[in-house]
Amino acid sequence: MTPEVLARSLTRWFQKSRRDLPWRAVDPSTGQRKPYHALVSEFMLQQTQVARVLEFFPVFLQRFPTVESLAQARDEHVLAAWAGLGYYRRARLLHAAARTIVGEFSGRIPDDPETLRQLPGVGAYTAGAMASIVFGARVPAVDGNVVRVLLRVHGRAGAADDPRSLRFVHARASELVAVARHPGVVNEGLMELGATVCTPANPRCGACPWAAGCIARRDERTRDIPRPKRSPRVTGLVLRCAVVTDARGRVLLERAPAGALWAGLWRLPTAEMTPRRLAAALGLAGVSLRRAGRARATLSHRQVELRLWRGHAANPTACRAEDRRWFDLAALRRAGVSSAHRQALAGLLDAEPKKRPRRAPGPRSRQ
DNA sequence: AACGCGTGGGG
DNA sequence: TCCCCAAGCGT
């Protein structure tokens, strides 16, 4: 099928089937989407599904309604609003981008892809998406969905992360936006098609506007295109974590240092190695620690086991240290804490309904 | 260029 | 339970 035919049928399909997502709302005063809302949504959507972002987007915007409010915010508060969404570097990069936008562009979000690309956390995809979807620029926006959809419709074999596949897809996407009436609609339509119809497994070809001309479907190769990527190896990681409370029921947390997992978020005092005397190694001299179960977290590249050690601090000030703080339960709920640590703390937070109150029995092995 | 970085839903 | 993976980016 020619680019013209593809662009036209995709546009028609998208205008009929597009989901009503909050970041797609048009600002009546400008007739376009709010650039700041689009920016926040694009950062959240990096490697993250729509359903997940829907939970966080409105809350984040309520907390930081404008790019100025985000730029002025403290890093810790931005991280707290991101807690649970994952890939926390995005929160720092979005924060930095907001500061650049306010500091260098008077709070106006750039509208051309080259300038957008200079912002922290904005790569080729996000720059293309912002420029085309918000500002109408005639540039492609190639994400994982677009790669899959275009490889399939053209019947092009290859892995999704193969540079040759990506060059091919970029060329096809460029043809589409070149002939499109609304480049942003074509780009967003491609992603929508990949997310809702041309899915990795069990594509719903019956609902696809391109089904009649799809080469992969004709050749019954949708299952083989794209070839699966080489999966990164997942390594195990064991962390010893102290769950220490004081007489008022407050729990002691520390900020995960740069370079650590969940960098910048609050975590339980943690040791990676097995120290002879855990409490002393954690700077908790005088606290008697007892084994208290474990929590597991599966990350993209890491299988983490948190071995929990419970203790009480008779003298809270003795446990103070740089980047450590006592949290009461209310503060704990508001704090920037990863889902893994939130799960580990679930026992303390039982006022809060947890989806998975997994509580493994204590292992016999020494921790 | 390959790797590090979270999370929860679905098959 | 296990495996796949989703609107990527920085280094």
Side-chain angles (χ1 to χ4, degrees):
Chain A
M1 291 194 285
T2 65
E4 287 81 3
V5 170
L6 289 172
R8 198 156 39 236
S9 53
L10 178 64
T11 298
R12 198 157 34 234
W13 171 82
F14 182 60
Q15 285 166 347
K16 173 166 50 80
S17 333
R18 68 196 286 259
R19 291 170 292 180
D20 192 15
L21 303 172
W23 47 90
R24 289 179 172 169
V26 170
D27 181 353
S29 69
T30 64
Q32 69 176 18
R33 300 191 195 178
K34 293 184 175 167
Y36 172 63
H37 290 203
L39 188 71
V40 171
S41 72
E42 288 299 343
F43 270 74
M44 289 189 168
L45 286 163
Q46 290 169 5
Q47 294 284 277
T48 304
Q49 289 160 337
V50 164
R52 199 106 299 280
V53 173
L54 283 173
E55 304 169 24
F56 288 81
F57 179 78
V59 183
F60 190 93
L61 276 187
Q62 189 168 4
R63 185 73 217 281
F64 307 111
T66 63
V67 68
E68 287 81 9
S69 66
L70 179 59
Q72 288 164 7
R74 286 173 47 184
D75 199 58
E76 179 188 346
H77 295 148
V78 179
L79 242 10
W82 207 272
L85 191 54
Y87 285 138
Y88 298 101
R89 187 174 50 168
R90 295 181 295 172
R92 299 171 165 287
L93 292 169
L94 175 60
H95 195 196
R99 290 185 162 167
T100 301
I101 289 162
V102 169
E104 295 186 22
F105 301 105
S106 313
R108 304 278 297 188
I109 294 175
D111 62 359
D112 69 289
E114 291 77 20
T115 312
L116 283 162
R117 184 68 182 73
Q118 304 304 313
L119 294 171
V122 177
Y125 160 73
T126 304
M130 288 290 298
S132 64
I133 295 172
V134 182
F135 301 111
R138 202 167 285 281
V139 290
V142 177
D143 74 338
N145 285 310
V146 177
V147 172
R148 183 176 59 256
V149 169
L150 290 180
L151 287 179
R152 279 179 177 166
V153 72
H154 293 291
R156 161 100 182 190
D161 56 355
D162 186 322
R164 290 166 297 183
S165 302
L166 295 176
R167 275 198 301 277
F168 174 85
V169 166
H170 200 273
R172 301 289 82 73
S174 298
E175 291 170 358
L176 289 179
V177 293
V179 303
R181 181 190 292 274
H182 301 295
V185 171
V186 163
N187 285 338
E188 208 167 20
L190 280 168
M191 293 188 270
E192 189 87 342
L193 190 61
T196 64
V197 174
C198 193
T199 47
N202 309 321
R204 303 164 44 227
C205 298
C208 181
W210 287 354
C214 179
I215 306 299
R217 177 166 182 266
R218 183 195 69 190
D219 298 346
E220 300 184 349
R221 291 196 295 148
T222 55
R223 225 175 57 88
D224 307 318
I225 299 178
R227 261 206 334 269
K229 305 178 189 181
R230 196 171 57 78
S231 57
R233 53 170 99 292
V234 176
T235 55
L237 178 65
V238 177
L239 302 173
R240 286 90 188 161
C241 300
V243 184
V244 179
T245 46
D246 68 2
R248 294 159 51 184
R250 298 179 305 176
V251 61
L252 184 66
L253 300 182
E254 66 185 14
R255 286 258 256 174
L261 277 179
W262 304 295
L265 296 176
W266 292 99
R267 69 175 189 185
L268 296 164
T270 298
E272 263 200 56
M273 296 297 143
T274 309
R276 186 164 297 131
R277 295 166 58 230
L278 184 64
L282 292 174
L284 301 169
V287 177
S288 147
L289 293 174
R290 296 164 171 272
R291 216 169 53 198
R294 69 173 89 187
R296 285 180 218 279
T298 304
L299 282 50
S300 53
H301 59 302
R302 207 57 68 86
Q303 176 62 240
V304 185
E305 176 183 345
L306 305 179
R307 294 187 182 165
L308 305 179
W309 292 77
R310 191 78 172 86
H312 297 276
N315 179 10
T317 55
C319 300
R320 287 299 308 258
E322 190 79 15
D323 275 342
R324 273 191 189 168
R325 200 186 292 173
W326 289 98
F327 288 77
D328 63 31
L329 291 189
L332 192 52
R333 281 188 199 94
R334 288 192 304 268
V337 173
S338 70
S339 292
H341 279 261
R342 211 161 272 287
Q343 184 196 321
L345 286 161
L348 293 176
L349 288 167
D350 42 21
E352 187 175 46
K354 292 301 293 181
K355 288 178 194 166
R356 265 196 314 178
R358 179 212 305 255
R359 178 87 169 78
R364 294 191 307 99
S365 64
R366 167 173 169 278
Q367 301 195 12

PDB file of all heavy atoms in Angstrom, chain A residues 55 75 83 123 126 304 328:
ATOM      1  N   GLU A  55      -3.024   6.416  36.383  1.00  0.00           N
ATOM      2  CA  GLU A  55      -3.139   6.559  37.837  1.00  0.00           C
ATOM      3  C   GLU A  55      -2.313   7.735  38.353  1.00  0.00           C
ATOM      4  O   GLU A  55      -2.657   8.333  39.367  1.00  0.00           O
ATOM      5  CB  GLU A  55      -2.659   5.280  38.532  1.00  0.00           C
ATOM      6  CG  GLU A  55      -3.372   4.024  38.087  1.00  0.00           C
ATOM      7  CD  GLU A  55      -2.659   2.782  38.622  1.00  0.00           C
ATOM      8  OE1 GLU A  55      -1.959   2.904  39.652  1.00  0.00           O
ATOM      9  OE2 GLU A  55      -2.791   1.715  38.004  1.00  0.00           O
ATOM     10  N   ASP A  75      13.511  18.463  44.742  1.00  0.00           N
ATOM     11  CA  ASP A  75      13.721  17.171  44.113  1.00  0.00           C
ATOM     12  C   ASP A  75      12.970  16.056  44.842  1.00  0.00           C
ATOM     13  O   ASP A  75      12.341  15.192  44.234  1.00  0.00           O
ATOM     14  CB  ASP A  75      15.227  16.883  44.096  1.00  0.00           C
ATOM     15  CG  ASP A  75      15.578  15.826  43.074  1.00  0.00           C
ATOM     16  OD1 ASP A  75      15.277  16.043  41.890  1.00  0.00           O
ATOM     17  OD2 ASP A  75      16.113  14.785  43.475  1.00  0.00           O
ATOM     18  N   ALA A  83       6.649   8.198  42.928  1.00  0.00           N
ATOM     19  CA  ALA A  83       6.856   6.941  43.636  1.00  0.00           C
ATOM     20  C   ALA A  83       5.808   5.905  43.237  1.00  0.00           C
ATOM     21  O   ALA A  83       4.602   6.165  43.329  1.00  0.00           O
ATOM     22  CB  ALA A  83       6.823   7.170  45.143  1.00  0.00           C
ATOM     23  N   GLY A 123      14.612  12.307  24.151  1.00  0.00           N
ATOM     24  CA  GLY A 123      15.349  11.687  23.065  1.00  0.00           C
ATOM     25  C   GLY A 123      14.622  11.877  21.747  1.00  0.00           C
ATOM     26  O   GLY A 123      13.694  12.685  21.646  1.00  0.00           O
ATOM     27  N   THR A 126      10.675  11.213  22.013  1.00  0.00           N
ATOM     28  CA  THR A 126       9.888  12.208  22.743  1.00  0.00           C
ATOM     29  C   THR A 126       9.889  13.554  22.019  1.00  0.00           C
ATOM     30  O   THR A 126       8.857  14.236  21.960  1.00  0.00           O
ATOM     31  CB  THR A 126      10.428  12.355  24.179  1.00  0.00           C
ATOM     32  OG1 THR A 126      10.415  11.077  24.816  1.00  0.00           O
ATOM     33  CG2 THR A 126       9.597  13.329  24.982  1.00  0.00           C
ATOM     34  N   VAL A 304      15.400  -9.030  43.126  1.00  0.00           N
ATOM     35  CA  VAL A 304      15.863  -8.516  44.409  1.00  0.00           C
ATOM     36  C   VAL A 304      15.130  -9.206  45.551  1.00  0.00           C
ATOM     37  O   VAL A 304      13.911  -9.360  45.512  1.00  0.00           O
ATOM     38  CB  VAL A 304      15.640  -6.994  44.516  1.00  0.00           C
ATOM     39  CG1 VAL A 304      16.251  -6.459  45.803  1.00  0.00           C
ATOM     40  CG2 VAL A 304      16.226  -6.286  43.312  1.00  0.00           C
ATOM     41  N   ASP A 328       6.735   9.077  60.563  1.00  0.00           N
ATOM     42  CA  ASP A 328       5.513   8.492  61.105  1.00  0.00           C
ATOM     43  C   ASP A 328       4.688   7.949  59.929  1.00  0.00           C
ATOM     44  O   ASP A 328       5.038   8.156  58.767  1.00  0.00           O
ATOM     45  CB  ASP A 328       4.737   9.492  61.962  1.00  0.00           C
ATOM     46  CG  ASP A 328       4.257  10.695  61.173  1.00  0.00           C
ATOM     47  OD1 ASP A 328       3.980  10.554  59.973  1.00  0.00           O
ATOM     48  OD2 ASP A 328       4.161  11.783  61.765  1.00  0.00           O
TER      49      ASP A 328
END
